[in-house]
Amino acid sequence: MSKTRPDADPQDDLRVTPPKTYAAGVPAVAHAMEYSLAQAGPKRTMLTLLSLNQAEGIDCPGCAWPDPKHRHKNEYCENGAKHVNDEATTRRVTREFFAEHSVAELDTKSDMWLNHQGRLTEPMVKRPGATHYEPISWDDALGLVADELNALASPDEAMFYTSGRLNNEAAFLLQLFSRAYGTNNLPDCSNMCHESSGSGLGETLGIGKGSVSLDDIHESDLVFVVGQNPGTNHPRMLSALEETKRNGGRVIAVNPLPEAGLIRFKNPQKPSGVIGRGTPIADVFVKIRPGGDLALFQMLNRLLLEAEDAAPGTVLDHDYIAAHTTGFEEFAAHTRAVTWEHVLEATGLTREEIEGVHREVLAAGKVIVCWAMGLTQHRHGVPTIRELVSFLLLRGNLGRPGAGVCPVRGHSNVQGDRTMGIWERVPDSFLDALGTEFSFEPPRHHGFDSVEGVRAMRDGRARVFVGVAGNFVRAMSDSDVTEAALRSCRLTVQISTKLNRSHTVCGETALILPTLGRSDRDVQATGEQFVTVEDSMSEVHQSRGRLDPASPDLLSEVAIITRLARRTLGEGGAIPWEDFEADYALVRDRIARVVPGFDDFNARVAVPGGFRLPNPVNEGRFPTPSGKAVFTCNDLDMIAAPPGHLVLQSLRSHDQWNTIPYAMNDRYRGIHDARRIVMVNPDDIAELGLADRDLVDIVSIWTDGSERRAEGFRVVAYPAARGSAASYYPETNVLVPLDSVAEVSNTPTSKGVIVRLERVAGSS
Ligand code: SF4
């Protein structure tokens, strides 16, 4: 049985107000400015915001939503402003800070406290047996890592984790270094979020990326937003949906919780968003049970087949199906056997609700399905993606304007990092090109993903962990197991901008290597550099820091990786690491020769706004083994909670960026001054014999009979789907066992946790 960390914040201050019925508007601007000014002061705030998401400015690190072609002067959302100024903060973590606070003491602090200490300023080391971090020179730090790497019995005892903040140039160099060193152990944050999307799309369409552009969203007749909360996680998506609505399109939101951004959007760029009522977003809100989406799309597919039976030649696109797909007959037979009984049980919806969605589909020509973690972090995340692809294929909704698939990614360059080869199972064609370009034979066996990486550290098969950006220990499931795994390493290295939990969970030796942020000016031997990123819609463009770096002792990620490569692999090989550090354009020249779609990279990315990578689906090509898109037969899988139990999903609060809460509030949901809360439908609260604000432990149960416990949560009555519960990440990661993963993709099942709520004895 597992317990939570000792950093639990007291929940006695909890205040609950009615959930908001709109997102953004004037309050969002006020909150963004308040946080930004408190962190960065007026001058740095002005510098960051004026260049945020501008053609030659800073790419917002907040999420991977693309920039519109015609940009405003203020092209950011509340969260983007907060994220960039959280990084641009004037607060500093110095050697005196580390002398004052032991690692053990820091480990008792909350995630929010750690983040609020400010930017890291110089390399620090915690030596074996030491209680504190102490300063270390860059030369000694990189020498220490190189010695440890070279002392391993096999390169596969090392792993190089990446979060999606890493830019394309650094990502390309990191995977090159890892493979030149000898391992494909390149786990990334994608393993924990959209891996199911990549797997499902790759199997059915031959490419694991979305197919739509912003123009497609604008001109679509019907956009599904499924398992996603754009108002908090991708706020500028609401501007795109507002445009859809303005053009006469409709929006269907499918989610266990009614979210403010899905109800109404008050665009602060427009007078109607400031003084008016704003734009209603979802025409239909489908309050589905967590994990019921597979069943919903299966029934929508059955209803489309039946509608075609009733009026042959009017519903399905037979020419498209014949020309571009395989597997239709088997799929149709399988789908006709789907029963209402099972679908209603899995979704928690009524037949009338599903038939209402079906009528919307029949009335629409061009359809897009957007989704996020609400679909992917389930045991059946990959079958769900396959099923929604079949849904779109039935009416030819892939590869034409206004239609297609849209997995909306969180980290700003998570898609680009994968394109650059940060992938433990990268195709042989990529390794062939890499090996030819740099005259070496890359390892061919697959490496560790994030889950397998934790298993390997836990079992002593991995001894050195290098994390480039991110906060691995808080991002991963099974927090206690992940922490123990990292503590068992010989060496843990964190390349970071700010202090986080991963710095307090140390291997025998631990290093903190501070790096430039997106907003920092990056000057190398040949002059000022820019980096590039790829957004959720495959647009590649520049990002150029504008601020003086937080400290003179920071190195860019490119510089850290190239110097580490030189120390580990030795000087004088076929890879010109030193030249790459001096001039990032040379890295882009090599990317152009290795990565498909990047021809003439330097010239094309010099154009303001950059360029869009080709997507074969939009050219009517499906690079699957058959050369066609694939209809699939997926067994209906539902999360069956026993009586007295709920299905819990973990989610972020509005005042949070990835693993880091910025405040104790979740403004849109009306939760204030507390994070250890669990949102439950009032009817379920009554049925469970509980009361609003009861103090409970959340206990997860698993098929192997094991239980995990997260202690001390306040119950909050919330209009969630019956049978469901919602609580914050990363506090509830502890409830998800390491081995509870999605089929095929190995993604932790953080959105489908069967739990019971145990009232804490003697609590009030
Ligand atoms: S939508 Fe995402 S990328 Fe755009 S400003 Fe907001 S957080 Fe940044």
Side-chain angles (χ1 to χ4, degrees):
M1 184 182 292
S2 174
K3 299 177 80 172
T4 48
R5 303 191 45 74
D7 67 351
D9 296 292
Q11 307 307 300
D12 299 343
D13 297 335
L14 169 64
R15 202 163 46 83
V16 180
T17 55
K20 297 282 180 212
T21 54
Y22 70 87
V26 175
V29 177
H31 280 271
M33 292 313 293
E34 185 188 359
Y35 190 81
S36 298
L37 291 168
Q39 291 295 320
K43 186 171 167 214
R44 287 168 78 85
T45 294
M46 197 180 71
L47 273 170
T48 53
L49 295 187
L50 283 179
S51 71
L52 193 58
N53 291 328
Q54 299 302 314
E56 295 195 344
I58 305 165
D59 177 65
C60 176
C63 78
W65 190 252
D67 302 316
K69 285 195 187 105
H70 305 291
R71 302 178 200 218
H72 293 276
K73 275 209 182 80
N74 297 308
E75 196 54 69
Y76 51 84
C77 67
E78 173 192 349
N79 292 5
K82 281 161 80 178
H83 300 327
V84 75
N85 284 307
D86 187 72
E87 179 186 281
T89 181
T90 52
R91 300 174 193 180
R92 298 290 179 264
V93 177
T94 61
R95 58 173 64 188
E96 290 77 20
F97 171 90
F98 284 110
E100 189 182 334
H101 302 283
S102 69
V103 175
E105 184 199 340
L106 292 175
D107 200 35
T108 64
K109 303 294 188 187
S110 71
D111 297 304
M112 194 169 80
W113 188 92
L114 292 171
N115 178 62
H116 277 177
Q117 301 316 300
R119 289 286 298 275
L120 297 159
T121 52
E122 64 178 317
M124 304 296 297
V125 62
K126 191 204 77 69
R127 300 192 186 277
T131 57
H132 289 67
Y133 277 100
E134 61 188 79
I136 183 173
S137 70
W138 275 107
D139 204 40
D140 288 348
L142 295 174
L144 192 160
V145 184
D147 288 348
E148 286 287 350
L149 289 174
N150 285 325
L152 293 174
S154 156
D156 288 331
E157 290 184 354
M159 53 191 279
F160 301 92
Y161 169 75
T162 313
S163 105
R165 190 176 64 82
L166 203 61
N167 56 68
N168 285 334
E169 289 75 6
F172 182 79
L173 293 173
L174 179 70
Q175 62 82 33
L176 174 62
F177 165 55
S178 173
R179 291 179 169 124
Y181 167 67
T183 184
N184 283 312
N185 286 347
L186 288 157
D188 67 351
C189 62
S190 200
N191 297 147
M192 307 172 203
C193 57
H194 265 295
E195 196 69 56
S196 299
S197 304
S199 298
L201 294 175
E203 287 175 32
T204 53
L205 302 178
I207 175 168
K209 297 184 180 183
S211 65
V212 307
S213 66
L214 271 183
D215 286 343
D216 291 323
I217 301 258
H218 296 162
E219 64 182 83
S220 184
D221 296 328
L222 180 62
V223 179
F224 279 80
V225 181
V226 193
Q228 191 194 349
N229 176 17
T232 285
N233 298 320
H234 321 92
R236 281 190 308 157
M237 181 177 178
L238 298 181
S239 310
L241 293 175
E242 182 185 41
E243 186 75 12
T244 311
K245 301 297 298 282
R246 202 176 64 81
N247 293 335
R250 291 176 67 80
V251 174
I252 296 180
V254 183
N255 206 48
L257 298 178
E259 303 285 12
L262 295 172
I263 299 171
R264 186 178 287 271
F265 172 49
K266 295 178 86 167
N267 189 340
Q269 304 273 9
K270 296 182 177 173
S272 59
V274 176
I275 53 172
R277 286 181 44 75
T279 307
I281 296 296
D283 297 283
V284 179
F285 173 54
V286 181
K287 195 194 282 189
I288 197 165
R289 274 196 188 130
D293 312 274
L294 171 60
L296 173 65
F297 279 105
Q298 287 191 314
M299 183 50 76
L300 291 177
N301 287 338
R302 184 187 127 176
L303 292 174
L304 284 174
L305 293 170
E306 290 174 352
E308 174 70 16
D309 293 343
T314 64
V315 176
L316 305 189
D317 189 335
H318 290 289
D319 291 345
Y320 181 93
I321 291 170
H324 296 294
T325 73
T326 63
F328 173 72
E329 295 302 335
E330 299 89 323
F331 161 81
H334 182 86
T335 302
R336 288 179 194 282
V338 171
T339 68
W340 276 108
E341 181 193 357
H342 284 127
V343 169
L344 298 185
E345 188 183 346
T347 60
L349 302 172
T350 64
R351 184 168 175 150
E352 292 68 35
E353 285 175 295
I354 295 176
E355 286 174 341
V357 175
H358 169 63
R359 283 193 293 278
E360 293 276 348
V361 174
L362 280 184
K366 300 164 287 186
V367 178
I368 288 173
V369 181
C370 305
W371 71 91
M373 266 54 315
L375 293 201
T376 60
Q377 291 180 327
H378 283 290
R379 181 176 63 206
H380 51 269
V382 175
T384 305
I385 307 306
R386 293 185 199 128
E387 194 70 30
L388 70 85
V389 167
S390 296
F391 168 72
L392 292 170
L393 290 175
L394 281 173
R395 306 191 83 197
N397 272 313
L398 275 153
R400 64 179 171 122
V405 283
C406 183
V408 185
R409 299 180 194 263
H411 269 44
S412 61
N413 197 40
V414 65
Q415 185 163 314
D417 289 348
R418 194 49 77 82
T419 306
M420 291 296 116
I422 300 287
W423 192 2
E424 75 284 351
R425 293 177 286 134
V426 77
D428 276 345
S429 57
F430 185 97
L431 296 175
D432 292 342
L434 191 73
T436 301
E437 178 65 25
F438 293 102
S439 306
F440 77 106
E441 182 49 47
R444 297 284 165 164
H445 55 284
H446 291 170
F448 301 146
D449 62 12
S450 292
V451 166
E452 191 54 33
V454 173
R455 290 185 187 128
M457 289 188 283
R458 177 195 64 190
D459 301 341
R461 289 180 285 125
R463 311 285 290 146
V464 173
F465 174 94
V466 180
V468 188
N471 182 9
F472 182 76
V473 75
R474 290 302 262 165
M476 261 304 290
S477 56
D478 219 339
S479 310
D480 293 349
V481 173
T482 298
E483 287 191 18
L486 280 159
R487 290 188 204 280
S488 73
C489 285
R490 279 186 56 79
L491 173 67
T492 50
V493 183
Q494 308 291 348
I495 299 174
S496 311
T497 53
K498 299 188 78 181
L499 198 62
N500 65 42
R501 175 75 51 212
S502 295
H503 304 122
T504 72
V505 178
C506 301
E508 201 177 332
T509 301
L511 279 168
I512 299 174
L513 304 181
T515 188
L516 295 179
R518 276 281 168 82
S519 53
D520 293 328
R521 192 175 292 114
D522 184 351
V523 180
Q524 302 296 338
T526 60
E528 190 169 311
Q529 308 293 313
F530 66 84
V531 294
T532 62
V533 294
E534 175 188 341
D535 63 34
S536 241
M537 294 183 180
S538 304
E539 303 273 0
V540 179
H541 59 89
Q542 297 184 21
S543 177
R544 193 184 285 268
R546 295 292 178 192
L547 303 180
D548 291 337
S551 152
D553 289 327
L554 303 185
L555 292 181
S556 72
E557 285 144 338
V558 166
I560 295 171
I561 293 163
T562 53
R563 290 184 193 191
L564 178 60
R566 287 163 62 197
R567 290 297 294 262
T568 307
L569 306 174
E571 305 282 358
I575 304 174
W577 299 108
E578 200 168 355
D579 297 343
F580 288 159
E581 178 184 340
D583 185 356
Y584 299 178
L586 299 179
V587 185
R588 288 188 286 274
D589 284 341
R590 301 302 190 103
I591 292 171
R593 292 209 282 266
V594 172
V595 185
F598 282 82
D599 318 71
D600 215 6
F601 188 6
N602 273 306
R604 291 162 74 208
V605 86
V607 175
F611 62 95
R612 189 166 190 223
L613 290 169
N615 186 309
V617 171
N618 292 331
E619 298 159 9
R621 293 187 296 111
F622 297 95
T624 59
S626 66
K628 295 189 171 187
V630 182
F631 279 101
T632 53
C633 300
N634 303 295
D635 291 333
L636 196 156
D637 181 23
M638 70 179 86
I639 307 171
H645 290 71
L646 303 168
V647 179
L648 176 95
Q649 60 163 329
S650 67
L651 37 71
R652 294 192 284 197
S653 73
H654 185 65
D655 293 290
Q656 178 173 353
W657 183 54
N658 297 329
T659 57
I660 307 295
Y662 288 162
M664 296 294 284
N665 303 322
D666 190 356
R667 192 158 51 82
Y668 288 167
R669 298 193 185 103
I671 311 290
H672 308 272
D673 301 317
R675 281 185 59 84
R676 296 181 83 82
I677 58 100
V678 55
M679 291 171 267
V680 183
N681 187 290
D683 293 339
D684 285 323
I685 294 177
E687 206 169 285
L688 293 170
L690 296 169
D692 192 18
R693 313 298 156 82
D694 267 359
L695 187 65
V696 297
D697 290 348
I698 308 177
V699 182
S700 64
I701 62 167
W702 297 94
T703 45
D704 63 1
S706 67
E707 293 187 350
R708 281 162 166 73
R709 179 177 296 263
E711 293 175 336
F713 287 69
R714 289 277 173 198
V715 174
V716 172
Y718 204 82
R722 286 296 309 270
S724 74
S727 194
Y728 298 128
Y729 149 102
E731 287 86 342
T732 47
N733 285 356
V734 71
L735 295 168
V736 185
L738 187 64
D739 294 331
S740 179
V741 292
E743 299 162 14
V744 183
S745 67
N746 227 21
T747 297
T749 58
S750 306
K751 294 283 192 284
V753 185
I754 299 176
V755 299
R756 65 174 185 271
L757 305 181
E758 286 186 2
R759 194 163 184 276
V760 175
S763 65
S764 60

